[in-house]
Amino acid sequence: MSRAGDGAVDEEADAVRVVVADDQAIVREGIVMLLGLLPGIEVVGAARDGEEAVALVAELSPDAVLMDLRMPRCDGVSATRRIREQYPGTQVVVLTTYADDDSLFPALRAGARGYLTKDAAGEEIVRAVRDVVAGRAGLSPEVQQRLLERVTETPEPPAPKLPDGLTGREGEVLSLIADGLSNTEIARRLHISAATVKTHINNLFAKAGLHDRAQAVRYAYRTGLVRPPGADAM
């Protein structure tokens, strides 16, 4: 667990005290260096994972944490939830590579009030941090647009109960397998990572007792999740 800015005195009395959490050293150090060059921010600590982030918040009581999502031991969503439950005086701004729904909405539900991707400019990061500390949302324009789309989406009818305890997402993945899509194509279609697709496939194979994609296709037809080719013409 490392501490950044020990002994440093910020020239602005209202500087926001921030902890940076990212498991990649070069990224973490780059963010610390960038923020150190910008007015209104004092980086007081740097964490290599969610566990260290929670510990630094307990030790330093920062105003905000810049939180990566994909980290070992304790990921950003779990760390955000723990921080907001145990140390409500500290706000969380997610700073991540990912902006898909499976990353965005769990982070916001866990209590993050800001969400930026790592291509954000330094001034945008500072603005988001200061906004959340002031009680406002600190969201990138892309995230705001996605939230607006989510709110205005027409609610879908309740999904039918799936066999063998499959989740809705596992059912989607199975349907796309039956349509002949590769893992990469499924990831692109569902806006999730290829690793997440593989996890869903492993889970649904285990639940349904499947061993390969051919069995998965037959299972999808047999259970009615997918209509076999030519069924509509019958």
Side-chain angles (χ1 to χ4, degrees):
M1 181 161 54
S2 59
R3 297 181 61 172
D6 287 347
V9 178
D10 196 274
E11 294 180 355
E12 296 188 19
D14 62 346
V16 177
R17 302 173 68 253
V18 174
V19 164
V20 174
D22 197 296
D23 65 317
Q24 299 183 42
I26 190 169
V27 175
R28 183 174 65 250
E29 293 165 4
I31 295 170
V32 170
M33 183 178 299
L34 171 64
L35 295 180
L37 299 174
L38 298 172
I41 298 289
E42 179 188 0
V43 180
V44 296
R48 295 170 294 185
D49 55 44
E51 287 289 347
E52 287 193 358
V54 175
L56 280 176
V57 169
E59 176 186 354
L60 302 172
S61 300
D63 299 304
V65 178
L66 273 175
M67 184 77 74
D68 189 22
L69 289 182
R70 311 289 171 85
M71 295 185 291
R73 291 207 302 165
C74 175
D75 63 32
V77 170
S78 298
T80 295
R81 183 177 298 109
R82 290 168 59 185
I83 289 169
R84 295 299 299 139
E85 290 175 351
Q86 300 173 31
Y87 312 101
T90 297
Q91 300 294 338
V92 176
V93 175
V94 170
L95 185 61
T96 181
T97 304
Y98 310 96
D100 57 275
D101 287 3
D102 286 347
S103 301
L104 169 62
F105 291 106
L108 296 181
R109 284 193 290 268
R113 292 188 60 86
Y115 198 106
L116 302 172
T117 53
K118 287 181 178 176
D119 57 358
E123 292 77 8
E124 187 177 359
I125 296 174
V126 172
R127 182 167 58 251
V129 169
R130 295 185 73 85
D131 280 346
V132 300
V133 170
R136 301 183 294 269
L139 307 173
S140 70
E142 294 79 9
V143 169
Q144 293 181 41
Q145 179 65 29
R146 181 65 196 108
L147 290 175
L148 180 61
E149 292 172 354
R150 183 67 171 263
V151 169
T152 56
E153 285 175 352
T154 302
E156 297 182 359
K161 186 175 181 179
L162 299 178
D164 296 313
L166 298 185
T167 66
R169 181 63 90 182
E170 290 164 359
E172 288 182 282
V173 170
L174 178 59
S175 297
L176 294 175
I177 290 174
D179 286 341
L181 274 64
S182 68
N183 287 10
T184 300
E185 291 169 330
I186 294 172
R188 189 178 303 116
R189 178 76 63 85
L190 298 180
H191 305 291
I192 58 179
S193 69
T196 300
V197 172
K198 186 174 182 180
T199 297
H200 288 314
I201 291 174
N202 289 339
N203 289 341
L204 74 89
F205 275 27
K207 291 178 181 179
L210 306 173
H211 301 289
D212 55 40
R213 296 174 90 91
Q215 286 188 347
V217 172
R218 291 194 295 270
Y219 175 82
Y221 293 156
R222 187 176 71 252
T223 56
L225 291 174
V226 176
R227 293 177 66 83
D232 292 335
M234 296 177 62

